[in-house]
Amino acid sequence: MFAIYRGEVKWKIRDLSRMRRFVDLAIIRLCDLLIARSEVRYGGMAERRRLVSDLAKRLELDYVGFDRVRSARQVVLVQVEEYETTERVYRVSLRCRSVDGGRTLKDFLSNRILGLVDLDTGECVNDIPAYLCDLLAEAGGELPRYWPRPEHDPIRSTSLGVAFDRHGYAVGWAFGVHSSFRSALDILYSADSKSSNGIWTQGIPPRYGFEVGDLMHSPAPWGPQTRYSVQVKSLNDQEVTVSLMVVNDRRVISSQELTMSQSDFAELLRIGIPQQSAVVAEAEHHLEPTAP
């Protein structure tokens, strides 16, 4: 009886050990899943490689954080690293501390840096990758595989490139671009995880999406009955063919077709038709400008 009882005790102890090992493995697996999830959400790493360290370069970054807020950050660049996320997205990270002397390091991803100022020289840097390459070379560091930019991994920001007045038209734009064109301007409404309200965001750079038939107007210098009109005629990949028109009392005085990129078309809507364009030159033969 004792031998049988002792065998049962041993078997129960063996079962308990197996259960503990199973629980340990389950905890480890759960931790792995939580880490992987945080890496996907916050741009985590698979393996970091340090390109340079022991820097002390004071910079001001025009930066869009993961909260989609665009702001200026004054930092001291300490080191530069490259890595890939668990989703195999290549990143270059600038590890910085605050200019007030704090020791905590914070990562700033190169693809989220929209502008950079060298606080030691006052230089406003136009070519950020070239500037950083020179900085790494001077410090004896290694160059990254490439410099990820916003166009490589599009991001969105709550800082919109256009505001609308109380009538719904874009403020400061030459053409009457109504708020109904928000989606064409890559302005989208999405849920905000921090509140019950949604937020408007715009891509950086914006992925404009004007469509065939889109029509907008702008005042012209030949009287109240005259206006500039522009209409999208056709699409080809990321290019649009548009018709520029001068219209007087509902009659087309002159017209011109142009093919351009979606971004160039958005810029045309913002600044207006150049006065040296053919459509304006032709209209001037038929119309007299009104006195200011």
Side-chain angles (χ1 to χ4, degrees), residues 64-121:
V64 179
F66 284 102
D67 57 1
R68 295 176 287 195
V69 174
R70 182 176 180 177
S71 61
R73 318 282 184 93
Q74 292 192 351
V75 298
V76 177
L77 176 61
V78 177
Q79 61 193 42
V80 181
E81 297 179 338
E82 67 176 355
Y83 62 90
E84 286 187 348
T85 68
T86 52
E87 292 185 328
R88 311 302 293 176
V89 178
Y90 180 70
R91 304 284 198 201
V92 176
S93 171
L94 278 61
R95 306 208 79 183
C96 305
R97 58 178 173 81
S98 62
V99 293
D100 60 9
R103 294 183 175 271
T104 303
L105 295 180
K106 184 174 181 179
D107 287 340
F108 293 88
L109 301 181
S110 66
N111 67 300
R112 289 180 170 268
I113 299 174
L114 307 180
L116 186 151
V117 176
D118 187 327
L119 294 178
D120 295 325
T121 64

Side-chain angles (χ1 to χ4, degrees), residues 51-56 78 80 132-142:
L51 302 175
V52 71
S53 59
D54 301 325
L55 296 174
V78 177
V80 181
L132 294 175
C133 283
D134 291 342
L135 194 63
L136 290 174
E138 291 174 5
E142 299 179 56

Side-chain angles (χ1 to χ4, degrees), residues 11-246:
W11 182 256
K12 289 179 180 180
I13 292 175
R14 190 178 303 159
D15 276 352
L16 185 60
S17 298
R18 289 176 178 175
M19 185 175 293
R20 284 177 177 172
R21 285 198 298 271
F22 175 77
V23 172
D24 289 342
L25 290 173
I27 292 174
I28 292 172
R29 178 57 179 162
L30 178 60
C31 290
D32 288 341
L33 290 173
L34 292 175
I35 291 172
R37 182 178 180 183
S38 67
E39 288 174 355
V40 170
R41 182 176 180 182
Y42 298 107
M45 66 177 184
E47 181 179 354
R48 287 182 179 263
R49 187 172 77 92
R50 188 171 298 175
L51 302 175
V52 71
S53 59
D54 301 325
L55 296 174
K57 192 65 176 175
R58 298 192 315 127
L59 305 172
E60 180 173 287
L61 307 178
D62 180 6
Y63 191 76
V64 179
F66 284 102
D67 57 1
R68 295 176 287 195
V69 174
R70 182 176 180 177
S71 61
R73 318 282 184 93
Q74 292 192 351
V75 298
V76 177
L77 176 61
V78 177
Q79 61 193 42
V80 181
E81 297 179 338
E82 67 176 355
Y83 62 90
E84 286 187 348
T85 68
T86 52
E87 292 185 328
R88 311 302 293 176
V89 178
Y90 180 70
R91 304 284 198 201
V92 176
S93 171
L94 278 61
R95 306 208 79 183
C96 305
R97 58 178 173 81
S98 62
V99 293
D100 60 9
R103 294 183 175 271
T104 303
L105 295 180
K106 184 174 181 179
D107 287 340
F108 293 88
L109 301 181
S110 66
N111 67 300
R112 289 180 170 268
I113 299 174
L114 307 180
L116 186 151
V117 176
D118 187 327
L119 294 178
D120 295 325
T121 64
E123 176 189 3
C124 184
V125 177
N126 294 320
D127 191 339
I128 297 175
Y131 173 85
L132 294 175
C133 283
D134 291 342
L135 194 63
L136 290 174
E138 291 174 5
E142 299 179 56
L143 296 180
R145 193 189 313 166
Y146 64 90
W147 290 101
R149 301 291 296 273
E151 55 266 28
H152 298 146
D153 185 15
I155 56 179
R156 303 193 65 79
S157 170
T158 55
S159 299
L160 308 182
V162 56
F164 299 96
D165 61 22
R166 61 189 183 91
H167 300 294
Y169 289 97
V171 177
W173 285 48
F175 280 87
V177 180
H178 195 263
S179 58
S180 57
F181 286 102
R182 278 195 179 102
S183 61
L185 298 169
D186 197 17
I187 298 176
L188 304 177
Y189 190 76
S190 57
D192 184 6
S193 59
K194 295 183 180 180
S195 69
S196 58
N197 299 321
I199 54 175
W200 290 101
T201 63
Q202 186 175 32
I204 300 178
R207 292 187 172 184
Y208 297 109
F210 293 97
E211 299 179 354
V212 173
D214 288 349
L215 175 66
M216 283 143 283
H217 309 286
S218 172
W222 297 287
Q225 299 299 318
T226 308
R227 65 187 181 187
Y228 296 121
S229 297
V230 59
Q231 186 172 32
V232 178
K233 291 296 185 180
S234 63
L235 301 174
N236 181 18
D237 194 16
Q238 280 299 303
E239 289 190 333
V240 295
T241 298
V242 301
S243 177
L244 308 180
M245 296 169 284
V246 175

